[in-house]
């Protein structure tokens, strides 16, 4: 008898081992820098908030507060200096004293006033046409362009002066216009005189109204 056949055993190759998965690296720890608080120092503007991580972050709260107060004081001082310089310029522009308008408002004193009028020399300018220039002649040669007009108060004090304009031929003779400015108010009456040729007395109200008329001649 033949020997029984032996079964053939086939050995399968062992599977390759799976590759090892490396462990993830540890996460870095990031330090968080707290933000500087914003606060308003008394008597000054809020202190600036420095960016995180800058050299300002290393300053103490008291140091930041002191810097904020210093900035506020410097700003106020600059404004005060500017206003002082402007006030000084205004005083210099007014001759070293406050403006006259401000002084008048403070004291309540009435402001000076002006008046105007004419002086006519009769029978002068014969042969001239109306509107032509003329002047005093003979005994009235002192009446001409620039002749002084004086105004005195009730005490006889000279309070204002003016002068005659150029003469002009009119139907009445040779007429000179005049204006007197800066008359001191407050007198009971005033006396207006042209070149010592007589005078005209007026109250303050009448003088303020203007339109004074002087006539000289035969």
């Amino acid at each position: 008898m033949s020997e029984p056949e032996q079964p053939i055993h086939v050995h399968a190759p062992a599977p390759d081992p799976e590759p090892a998965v490396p462990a993830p690296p540890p996460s870095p720890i990031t330090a968080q820098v707290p933000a500087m608080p914003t606060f308003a120092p008394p008597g000054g503007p809020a202190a600036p908030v420095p960016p995180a991580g800058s050299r300002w972050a290393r300053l103490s709260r008291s140091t930041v507060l002191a810097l904020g107060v210093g900035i506020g004081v410097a700003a106020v001082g600059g404004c005060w200096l500017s206003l002082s310089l402007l006030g000084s310029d205004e005083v210099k522009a007014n001759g070293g004293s406050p403006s006259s308008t401000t002084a008048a408002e403070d004291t309540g004193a009435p402001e000076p006033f002006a008046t105007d009028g004419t002086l006519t020399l009769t029978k002068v300018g014969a042969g001239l046409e109306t509107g032509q220039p003329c002047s005093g002649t003979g005994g009235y040669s002192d009446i001409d362009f620039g002749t002084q007009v004086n105004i005195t108060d009730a005490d006889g004090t000279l309070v204002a002066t003016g002068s005659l304009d150029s003469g002009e031929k009119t139907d009445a003779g040779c007429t000179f216009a005049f204006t007197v400015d800066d008359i001191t108010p407050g007198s009971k009456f005033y006396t207006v005189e042209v070149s010592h040729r007589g005078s005209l007395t007026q109250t303050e109200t009448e003088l303020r109204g203007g339109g004074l008329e002087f006539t000289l001649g035969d």
Side-chain angles (χ1 to χ4, degrees), residues 98-216:
S99 64
S100 57
T101 302
T102 303
E105 291 177 354
D106 292 342
T107 60
E111 296 182 357
F113 64 97
T115 191
D116 57 50
T118 59
L119 181 147
T120 300
L121 291 175
T122 62
K123 299 181 181 181
V124 174
L128 297 177
E129 294 183 0
T130 301
Q132 286 187 302
C134 57
S135 60
T137 59
Y140 299 106
S141 59
D142 59 319
I143 305 300
D144 203 346
F145 171 76
T147 298
Q148 188 165 314
V149 180
N150 296 325
I151 298 181
T152 55
D153 61 13
D155 296 326
T157 302
L158 182 67
V159 294
T161 60
S163 60
L164 297 180
D165 295 337
S166 298
E168 181 178 311
K169 179 64 173 70
T170 62
D171 294 338
C174 186
T175 301
F176 301 81
F178 64 86
T179 300
V180 181
D181 298 317
D182 297 325
I183 303 171
T184 304
S187 180
K188 294 180 179 179
F189 61 86
Y190 297 85
T191 300
V192 185
E193 186 176 27
V194 181
S195 185
H196 308 289
R197 289 286 185 168
S199 59
L200 184 65
T201 301
Q202 300 275 286
T203 64
E204 181 173 337
T205 301
E206 292 171 336
L207 198 60
R208 285 178 179 272
L212 309 180
E213 294 183 357
F214 289 84
T215 302
L216 293 176

Side-chain angles (χ1 to χ4, degrees), residues 53-65:
S54 68
R55 67 182 62 182
W56 291 89
R58 296 193 294 270
L59 298 178
S60 64
R61 178 172 178 174
S62 60
T63 303
V64 175
L65 176 61

